[in-house]
Amino acid sequence: MDLLKAACICFIYFSFFQYSSCNAASYNVVSFGARRGGRTDSSQAFERAWRAACASSSSSMVYIPRGVFMTKPVVFSGPCRSRILFQIDGTLVAPPNYYDMGKSGFWILFTKVSRLTVHGGTIDAKGSKFWACRRSGGNCPPGVRSISFLWSSNVIVRGLKSLYSELIHIAISKCNNILFEHLSIIAPSRSPNTDGMIIQSSTGITVKNSLFRTGDDCIAVGPGSKNIWMEKIACGPGHGISIGSLGNSLNEEGVQNVTLTNSIFTKTQNGVRIKSWARDSKSYATNVEFRNIVMKSVDNPIIIDQTYCPGDRCPRETSGVEVSNVRYSNIKGTSTTVEAVKFECSLSNPCRGIQMRNIRLLTPNRVTTSTCENVHGWASGQVVPRSCL
Ligand SMILES: *[C@@H]1O[C@H](CO)[C@@H](O)[C@H](O)[C@H]1NC(C)=O
């Protein structure tokens, strides 16, 4: 087999048969001036390689070879003429001084892109100095999300590893149809606000076979999220998987059709949580399903909290967010607190259609309990702690 043919087969293999053309042009960032070694800023070289690929009339590949490449904030914007495979064999690292991450809030940003596959790669935002600054209450820059997708559609992100983000590891907003698979998201359990993934104003987001170990939510499904599928997620340490916070503003969009299945939580603060501000709002969460879940030493395995109001900025208000049709089934394991199930719904908008089936949450040597406030629903099958519905 000649080299070209091998490269072509390789390309097809990596792109999982989505590319019909074997004439795919490859744009190696090194040819555009990127420098290995982690000391020279390669952001402009990355952007030049991207622009070349983006202008290509046939499928193309942006290639980041093995090695460590330092990059300041970088923007990959579309629309592009054809499919792009963004193949990362190397590691992208942040500049040593966190002030060089700028004020845009983004480190690696894909915007207005469609038909993109991001494959492989490690991105290391080296957030520890930034966390220390925040902890000391100093005058810190705003911080950046590690990798973001804005206004993008038909994207696959497979095999990406994100380390030590300053804030959110992966942020998705105004997107449609993105598949994330085989992610490893890593930050220490005590790193502040290092959410694994935040989804907002997006439809058709799937996250599968992925590992989240971080200091805040593993995944947060925010306002305007629809048709969200999460499967085979390992979460922990972290704050669990949340829908919310919802209802921070009056005219906020709701959340609908969210499924989490075949997942495991290890030593997390929460398991499956729905959270809303205690404020007036037209937001809602409906058609949510949590099933086939294992909890290992989780503080609050099942929780709906509609009383969220840090700083006590909503005195005497209740949440306007309507929570309805939430199904919990086949959820087993251990809770570190006695109160393994907690439904604290809004007085003005009680939760409706909450269903529990085959739940078994235990705590060593004590009987677990459940609390219900302003909630309507029913339980079936074996339910431990005893249902308060
Ligand atoms: C719910 O979302 C899933 C994907 O996450 C989708 O396959 C399904 O069609 C959606 N259901 C409805 C009723 O929209």
Side-chain angles (χ1 to χ4, degrees):
M1 192 183 331
D2 65 55
L3 211 61
L4 193 67
K5 222 173 186 172
C8 177
I9 286 168
C10 189
F11 183 67
I12 290 177
Y13 168 73
F14 276 123
S15 54
F16 291 79
F17 309 103
Q18 289 177 62
Y19 296 78
S20 51
S21 158
C22 267
N23 312 322
S26 168
Y27 300 93
N28 185 328
V29 294
V30 171
S31 319
F32 287 81
R35 297 276 286 276
R36 289 187 178 82
R39 276 199 273 278
T40 320
D41 174 33
S42 293
S43 56
Q44 308 228 332
F46 290 172
E47 287 179 0
R48 282 194 293 267
W50 171 265
R51 281 197 294 269
C54 190
S56 167
S57 59
S58 60
S59 309
S60 63
M61 169 163 79
V62 173
Y63 183 53
I64 301 180
R66 283 188 185 285
V68 178
F69 297 89
M70 189 264 275
T71 178
K72 290 182 181 175
V74 59
V75 182
F76 302 113
S77 53
C80 297
R81 291 182 66 192
S82 296
R83 289 180 180 282
I84 296 181
L85 169 62
F86 199 101
Q87 174 70 35
I88 314 174
D89 288 352
T91 299
L92 309 188
V93 297
N97 182 345
Y98 55 76
Y99 278 91
D100 287 337
M101 287 291 223
K103 292 188 174 164
S104 72
F106 301 107
W107 180 30
I108 300 164
L109 170 63
F110 289 91
T111 178
K112 297 183 184 147
V113 175
S114 67
R115 298 181 298 165
L116 167 73
T117 297
V118 178
H119 187 262
T122 299
I123 60 173
D124 182 353
K126 296 190 178 286
S128 60
K129 287 187 196 142
F130 176 76
W131 308 329
C133 178
R134 294 194 89 192
R135 278 206 203 89
S136 72
N139 194 5
C140 315
V144 296
R145 302 155 181 87
S146 286
I147 187 166
S148 305
F149 297 87
L150 268 184
W151 305 104
S152 293
S153 62
N154 303 320
V155 173
I156 298 173
V157 180
R158 187 176 272 131
L160 180 73
K161 186 170 188 172
S162 173
L163 307 175
Y164 316 122
S165 63
E166 288 189 349
L167 302 169
I168 300 156
H169 286 263
I170 302 179
I172 301 142
S173 186
K174 323 258 187 208
C175 289
N176 189 2
N177 193 23
I178 305 193
L179 166 64
F180 293 90
E181 264 194 313
H182 303 293
L183 304 177
S184 306
I185 305 297
I186 315 263
S189 61
R190 299 185 59 197
S191 53
N193 300 108
T194 53
D195 291 289
M197 177 183 279
I198 290 221
I199 303 168
Q200 278 183 335
S201 306
S202 294
T203 302
I205 309 298
T206 299
V207 192
K208 292 204 291 203
N209 296 302
S210 292
L211 171 77
F212 293 82
R213 288 189 194 149
T214 192
D216 206 313
D217 289 338
C218 290
I219 302 176
V221 178
S225 301
K226 198 172 153 185
N227 303 352
I228 309 298
W229 185 272
M230 297 170 278
E231 184 181 342
K232 295 190 180 146
I233 306 295
C235 166
H239 293 184
I241 293 184
S242 284
I243 295 181
S245 306
L246 302 178
N248 189 15
S249 63
L250 183 64
N251 288 311
E252 190 184 273
E253 290 176 285
V255 168
Q256 56 182 301
N257 187 16
V258 177
T259 303
L260 171 70
T261 181
N262 297 336
S263 294
I264 178 162
F265 292 81
T266 308
K267 295 189 172 156
T268 51
Q269 186 189 77
N270 306 290
V272 292
R273 172 168 63 165
I274 299 175
K275 179 174 159 190
S276 81
W277 286 79
R279 278 200 187 151
D280 196 17
S281 175
K282 293 172 185 157
S283 189
Y284 59 85
T286 191
N287 297 337
V288 176
E289 179 152 16
F290 300 111
R291 65 163 191 263
N292 304 340
I293 291 167
V294 174
M295 303 282 178
K296 290 186 175 172
S297 300
V298 172
D299 298 347
N300 305 295
I302 294 178
I303 179 167
I304 298 179
D305 175 10
Q306 295 205 262
T307 64
Y308 183 63
C309 189
D312 204 17
R313 278 173 285 155
C314 10
R316 290 185 299 278
E317 283 190 74
T318 60
S319 179
V321 175
E322 291 188 358
V323 177
S324 62
N325 298 337
V326 182
R327 291 180 299 279
Y328 301 88
S329 66
N330 198 19
I331 301 182
K332 314 259 155 103
T334 54
S335 172
T336 64
T337 65
V338 170
E339 212 173 32
V341 177
K342 203 155 137 182
F343 296 128
E344 289 188 336
C345 295
S346 165
L347 181 65
S348 52
N349 290 282
C351 297
R352 289 178 295 115
I354 308 299
Q355 301 171 45
M356 304 199 87
R357 198 166 160 268
N358 298 337
I359 309 291
R360 193 172 159 80
L361 293 165
L362 307 174
T363 193
N365 309 321
R366 285 187 293 174
V367 178
T368 47
T369 61
S370 49
T371 41
C372 286
E373 279 174 32
N374 312 312
V375 52
H376 303 290
W378 62 94
S380 61
Q382 189 204 35
V383 174
V384 179
R386 202 158 60 132
S387 169
C388 54
L389 292 169

